[in-house]
Amino acid sequence: MKIKTQIAMVLNLDKCIGCHTCSVTCKNVWTSRKGMEYAWWNNVETKPGPGYPKKWEDQDKYRGGWVRTKDGSTTLRLGNRPKVMSQLFSNPYLPQVSDYYEPFTFAFSSLKGKRRLKTPPSARPFSMITGKQMDKVKDGPNWEDDLAGTFDERKSDPNLNGIDTQGFEEFERTFMFYVPRLCEHCLHPACIPSCPSGAIYKRKDGVVLINQDRCRGWRQCVSACPYKKIYFNHQRMKSEKCVFCYPRIEDGQPTVCSETCVGRMRYLGVILYDAEKIDDYAAADERELVSRQREMILDPNDPTVIAEAERQGISHNYILAAQKSPTYKMMKEWAIAFPLHPEYRTLPMVWYVPAMSPKKEKLSEEEQKADSSNTTEMDYFAKVDDMRIPAQYFANLLTAGDPQPIRQALAKLVALRAFMRRKTVDGVEHPDVPEALGLSAEQYDDMYRLLAIANYEDRFVIPSAPKQQGSHHFDERTGLGFDDEEQNFVEGCKRHNLFAGR
């Protein structure tokens, strides 16, 4: 057993209101400079919709992530090392500017003139790439916000595959929810081995970064990342990505997007995992990927795990943080959170709690009373199947197409609401809990405190740690045969004392 630590994030989609505060604050802090005008390290997508960049989930087009080979291992969908090297100067799988959007600004100075006009003054759009006036703004980072546009434009969403969309054209019969997205800081990232320069690495705390001194702008990582969360800065000629606000993490503070989230729907915490099982679990059968990834997460309260973690040098602060981690509870103990597109086999570490939704049809007053008074166990699954958002849609998004784990998680959330309603409205001191869902009354109480009314220190359990030294940057490298070169690079830096003072 090789125990590693990872700062993981869970987002409760049931509480996201689509205000984009997380995107704006991240933009102001990290990507407000030249060359990154089009880049949003954190963006919020309205689903169903093609997303940003357009159709990023279509890996036949972009060739991101990993695929399982006949011998049971995994290989980059982009190709092996010779294939990657052969397309350095002509990569057919790169997203174009039109797949994102052409960044623009407005000639606001035209609104300040004193000259009288026959028509109201307007600020015309100008491209931030060419500097020329644009005839019309045709796209943006969240062009489908709140289901804007026709359903014909939105039905290209790959997650609608296998779902009967008849009637979705009518707005009042369709469904929508928001999905905030950022770098997944995966345990089995495709970006790292795709980089010919060996510039991408995974830190001790799990944060994936790009060494800007070593990046040569080959952009193979942009294609290899199935989530399209690496962006090319055309001014600096280097690739950049979400850094998980690691300077704040090192000080025990949450990321900017988590700190400023209006809906308080983001949670940060430490998990312990068995690094020896990464390759085996990444190559598991598609329907087993979620359960196998959960198996890889270790119980931080297990005395055997604690003893082994301490023996392997994991600090006591990290072990205590893992025991109090809100992400561990939602990811493994309660099993209500899921990774985004596990079929990409990157073992992502940003997980999502599926959103609940109202019933497809409006109930009469008598039906509502009967619905609230019936508490049999099987009714929880019936309510899930009667929700407006199909469980199959969440399954295509979060469980590689298997709806049963989604139905199980949503049934727990429905049971939680019924449990708390009986306690607070009906005055039942010890309500019955559905045994079939596998949670106790104490766990429902804990789930309510965390999902509904959690305090700041409950949502963000991050141990402060010493600043990561430069020599640690290369400990987790898994590149395409560059390990010897990296070791020589590190040894040379040590000899010349280049890591001192960092």
Side-chain angles (χ1 to χ4, degrees):
M1 182 187 299
K2 186 178 180 180
I3 301 178
K4 294 283 187 179
T5 59
Q6 172 80 39
I7 303 293
M9 179 184 288
V10 171
L11 299 91
N12 184 1
L13 298 182
D14 203 33
K15 298 173 71 176
C16 182
I17 61 175
C19 64
H20 303 273
T21 303
C22 53
S23 299
V24 173
T25 51
C26 176
K27 184 73 174 173
N28 288 337
V29 172
W30 294 111
T31 61
S32 58
R33 58 195 178 281
K34 289 185 178 181
M36 298 296 283
E37 293 89 352
Y38 78 102
W40 295 77
W41 286 358
N42 184 106
N43 70 292
V44 182
E45 298 174 0
T46 297
K47 289 294 186 180
Y52 160 82
K54 290 187 183 68
K55 300 183 181 179
W56 63 270
E57 294 158 298
D58 184 358
Q59 302 312 325
D60 291 333
K61 175 180 179 181
Y62 290 124
R63 312 294 292 173
W66 304 82
V67 291
R68 189 183 184 189
T69 59
K70 293 181 179 179
D71 62 0
S73 61
T74 56
T75 185
L76 289 177
R77 190 186 295 270
L78 191 61
N80 54 20
R81 183 183 180 186
K83 176 69 178 298
V84 170
M85 301 299 287
S86 69
Q87 59 189 26
L88 288 183
F89 302 102
S90 179
N91 185 351
Y93 308 117
L94 277 176
Q96 305 300 307
V97 172
S98 58
D99 294 320
Y100 297 100
Y101 70 103
E102 185 173 2
F104 56 88
T105 186
F106 293 96
F108 293 107
S109 59
S110 62
L111 303 178
K112 301 178 183 179
K114 297 181 179 180
R115 185 166 60 90
R116 295 179 64 87
L117 301 173
K118 293 182 179 179
T119 58
S122 61
R124 296 182 177 181
F126 282 79
S127 170
M128 299 180 74
I129 296 179
T130 65
K132 297 180 180 179
Q133 181 177 325
M134 300 170 63
D135 294 333
K136 184 180 180 181
V137 176
K138 299 179 180 179
D139 208 347
N142 192 29
W143 203 244
E144 294 78 33
D145 194 18
D146 295 338
L147 299 182
T150 64
F151 183 72
D152 286 338
E153 296 171 345
R154 292 183 285 106
K155 69 181 181 182
S156 60
D157 185 342
N159 299 300
L160 289 171
N161 294 340
I163 298 176
D164 182 10
T165 58
Q166 185 177 2
F168 282 11
E169 292 84 353
E170 302 177 33
F171 180 85
E172 63 274 11
R173 291 183 59 84
T174 191
F175 64 90
M176 60 170 282
F177 62 98
Y178 305 105
V179 179
R181 291 204 309 115
L182 64 157
C183 173
E184 301 288 324
H185 297 277
C186 310
L187 300 181
H188 190 232
C191 58
I192 290 181
S194 70
C195 177
S197 304
I200 309 179
Y201 58 92
K202 189 173 178 67
R203 301 194 335 161
K204 292 283 190 180
D205 56 8
V207 177
V208 177
L209 297 177
I210 301 176
N211 184 336
Q212 295 294 294
D213 292 332
R214 303 192 71 183
C215 178
R216 297 295 178 264
W218 296 119
R219 286 171 279 181
Q220 299 302 312
C221 55
V222 178
S223 296
C225 175
Y227 305 100
K228 291 297 166 283
K229 279 300 170 184
I230 299 182
Y231 302 90
F232 182 67
N233 187 323
H234 57 86
Q235 291 287 333
R236 300 180 60 246
M237 301 299 289
K238 295 181 182 291
S239 296
E240 301 183 22
K241 62 176 290 296
C242 162
V243 298
F244 215 59
C245 295
Y246 71 86
R248 294 174 57 89
I249 293 292
E250 289 175 351
D251 288 334
Q253 301 180 55
T255 61
V256 170
C257 60
S258 302
E259 177 87 57
T260 60
C261 176
V262 174
R264 300 183 181 184
M265 45 80 72
R266 297 184 186 237
Y267 303 82
L268 287 167
V270 176
I271 65 164
L272 306 177
Y273 67 94
D274 186 357
E276 289 183 347
K277 297 182 178 180
I278 287 179
D279 291 334
D280 292 338
Y281 284 7
D285 290 336
E286 201 164 83
R287 292 297 181 97
E288 297 179 357
L289 285 168
V290 175
S291 60
R292 298 298 291 274
Q293 191 168 352
R294 281 206 179 103
E295 289 176 18
M296 193 168 59
I297 301 174
L298 303 174
D299 183 358
N301 298 298
D302 186 340
T304 304
V305 173
I306 296 173
E308 185 63 22
E310 291 177 341
R311 189 187 70 81
Q312 296 184 21
I314 295 177
S315 69
H316 190 59
N317 285 343
Y318 267 80
I319 296 175
L320 288 178
Q323 293 172 348
K324 300 177 182 178
S325 172
T327 55
Y328 172 81
K329 292 179 180 179
M330 288 186 277
M331 294 166 71
K332 183 160 185 175
E333 182 180 339
W334 304 333
I336 59 173
F338 303 91
L340 183 63
H341 287 297
E343 68 272 18
Y344 298 160
R345 302 181 182 276
T346 61
L347 305 183
M349 280 290 104
V350 176
W351 288 34
Y352 295 84
V353 177
M356 301 177 69
S357 57
K359 289 179 175 289
K360 298 174 185 176
E361 304 293 342
K362 184 177 180 180
L363 299 180
S364 65
E365 187 174 343
E366 291 76 13
E367 289 173 328
Q368 290 178 8
K369 291 181 180 179
D371 185 66
S372 61
S373 62
N374 199 338
T375 60
T376 59
E377 294 176 1
M378 294 304 297
D379 285 337
Y380 296 113
F381 291 99
K383 292 175 182 178
V384 169
D385 294 332
D386 201 30
M387 288 180 179
R388 185 169 293 181
I389 304 178
Q392 186 61 52
Y393 187 91
F394 280 123
N396 293 342
L397 189 70
L398 302 173
T399 59
D402 185 4
Q404 192 54 37
I406 297 294
R407 295 179 69 248
Q408 189 82 9
L410 289 174
K412 293 175 183 178
L413 297 176
V414 172
L416 171 63
R417 292 190 177 186
F419 177 82
M420 293 308 301
R421 187 183 300 117
R422 291 197 294 275
K423 286 187 69 173
T424 58
V425 178
D426 299 336
V428 180
E429 186 174 353
H430 301 290
D432 295 332
V433 295
E435 296 181 1
L437 299 181
L439 296 180
S440 64
E442 292 77 13
Q443 288 175 311
Y444 280 116
D445 282 327
D446 291 343
M447 192 188 302
Y448 170 71
R449 282 193 292 269
L450 192 58
L451 294 181
I453 55 174
N455 294 325
Y456 186 94
E457 59 273 13
D458 296 325
R459 289 183 288 129
F460 309 129
V461 182
I462 310 166
S464 58
K467 298 293 187 293
Q468 298 265 349
Q469 297 298 315
S471 58
H472 294 169
H473 287 174
F474 303 93
D475 288 351
E476 298 296 315
R477 269 292 298 144
T478 54
L480 293 171
F482 291 93
D483 296 333
D484 293 338
E485 177 187 334
E486 288 164 7
Q487 186 61 34
N488 294 335
F489 176 79
V490 173
E491 293 300 328
C493 290
K494 288 180 178 178
R495 284 196 302 271
H496 293 87
N497 202 27
L498 295 182
F499 289 144
R502 289 193 179 185

